[in-house]
Amino acid sequence: MIFDLGEFYMTEIIDLLLLDSSVLIRFIFSMILAILLGLGIAFVYKLTHKGLNYESSFLTTLALLAPIVTLVMLFIQGNLVLSLGLVGSLSIIRFRTPIKDARDMVFLFWTIATGLGIGTYNWSLTIIATVILAVLMLVFYKLRYGRKVHNEYILMISGTGDFDQNLINNLNTEGVVKSFLRSREIQDNNFELVYELTFNEKELAKVNALVDEINKMAVVEKVSLLSPQLNLPM
């Protein structure tokens, strides 16, 4: 048994030494290129990411996914038996990690496509495509593409007595804030007013000053400025 095992390893070593140098060079170059492009994609993700759902482990995933997919493609190399075995192996694995942001899915597909391109020896096209997508991501990030120009907030005011609504109405006449009364609840001498405000980011300081001014009123017991958006700005 020991002799058979030793003979097996000797055969493997001889096959490795007799391996065509061009094949070995292409394999090493493909793996190094996949690692470099994977690190580049991870860097673009880190540079353009904003929000609270940032996970450092996702960067490791992006950096390693490209060389892993490349390695799989180099192993298959048009072999039908290996490709069927790969499909069977993947069917056993269950991915339970939830994708919190659709943008993360884009980076995952980008990394997988990079590994597929390198694993099929389409090096030039893969490099060009990766550079184009990286520049596009940076342009979208700098131009704040898809982000709303105006912010929407809910202003809640509660207290006892008579509230002077001219403070908010004056803002409408000045064109600083678009607002309208969403609900008004009065019970005995207590009141609760809910306004919907729409304003530009540059006007946030004026809105904060308005909130401070309302909070100083004797009839006001509580004032809150809330964002109704479910997702935090990215």
Side-chain angles (χ1 to χ4, degrees):
M1 180 66 180
I2 298 177
F3 176 75
D4 294 340
L5 186 61
E7 184 179 358
F8 171 77
Y9 281 117
M10 286 298 299
T11 304
E12 292 293 325
I13 293 174
I14 293 175
D15 292 340
L16 181 62
L17 293 176
L18 295 178
L19 186 65
D20 189 358
S21 59
S22 63
V23 176
L24 185 60
I25 291 175
R26 285 192 298 175
F27 173 80
I28 295 176
F29 180 78
S30 297
M31 292 300 297
I32 294 176
L33 182 60
I35 293 173
L36 293 178
L37 292 182
L39 291 173
I41 295 174
F43 176 76
V44 173
Y45 176 83
K46 181 179 180 181
L47 186 64
T48 60
H49 186 275
K50 278 191 175 182
L52 299 179
N53 58 345
Y54 175 81
E55 295 182 2
S56 58
S57 60
F58 189 72
L59 293 180
T60 306
T61 301
L62 293 177
L64 295 180
L65 189 58
I68 291 175
V69 175
T70 298
L71 184 62
V72 172
M73 294 301 299
L74 292 175
F75 282 156
I76 294 177
Q77 289 294 323
N79 192 315
L80 180 61
V81 178
L82 289 178
S83 61
L84 292 176
L86 175 64
V87 174
S89 301
L90 292 178
S91 63
I92 302 175
I93 303 175
R94 295 183 178 181
F95 299 95
R96 298 184 178 273
T97 303
I99 301 298
K100 300 178 182 179
D101 189 358
R103 185 172 171 274
D104 295 350
M105 189 182 303
V106 172
F107 276 88
L108 286 175
F109 275 111
W110 182 9
T111 309
I112 293 174
T114 301
L116 292 174
I118 297 175
T120 53
Y121 299 131
N122 293 310
W123 299 328
S124 300
L125 293 178
T126 304
I127 294 175
I128 294 174
T130 302
V131 172
I132 292 175
L133 290 175
V135 172
L136 190 61
M137 286 289 184
L138 293 175
V139 170
F140 283 170
Y141 174 74
K142 292 296 183 181
L143 296 180
R144 302 172 62 88
Y145 178 77
R147 301 180 191 178
K148 299 178 64 175
V149 178
H150 297 89
N151 295 327
E152 297 178 353
Y153 284 85
I154 299 297
L155 179 62
M156 302 179 61
I157 306 171
S158 59
T160 304
D162 296 327
F163 176 73
D164 186 10
Q165 301 185 26
N166 291 328
L167 288 174
I168 300 178
N169 294 334
N170 290 337
L171 287 176
N172 287 330
T173 57
E174 296 174 4
V176 176
V177 177
K178 294 182 180 179
S179 66
F180 67 90
L181 183 62
R182 172 175 286 189
S183 67
R184 179 182 182 184
E185 182 178 349
I186 299 177
Q187 184 177 7
D188 295 334
N189 200 27
N190 299 323
F191 67 89
E192 182 177 271
L193 305 175
V194 179
Y195 289 90
E196 183 173 334
L197 306 181
T198 303
F199 55 90
N200 194 289
E201 291 182 355
K202 299 179 181 179
E203 300 160 354
L204 181 58
K206 297 181 180 180
V207 177
N208 289 331
L210 169 68
V211 174
D212 294 337
E213 187 176 354
I214 295 175
N215 192 38
K216 294 177 182 179
M217 298 177 64
V219 297
V220 175
E221 297 177 355
K222 183 180 179 181
V223 56
S224 302
L225 187 64
L226 307 175
S227 173
Q229 300 171 351
L230 296 179
N231 297 326
L232 293 176
M234 300 302 294

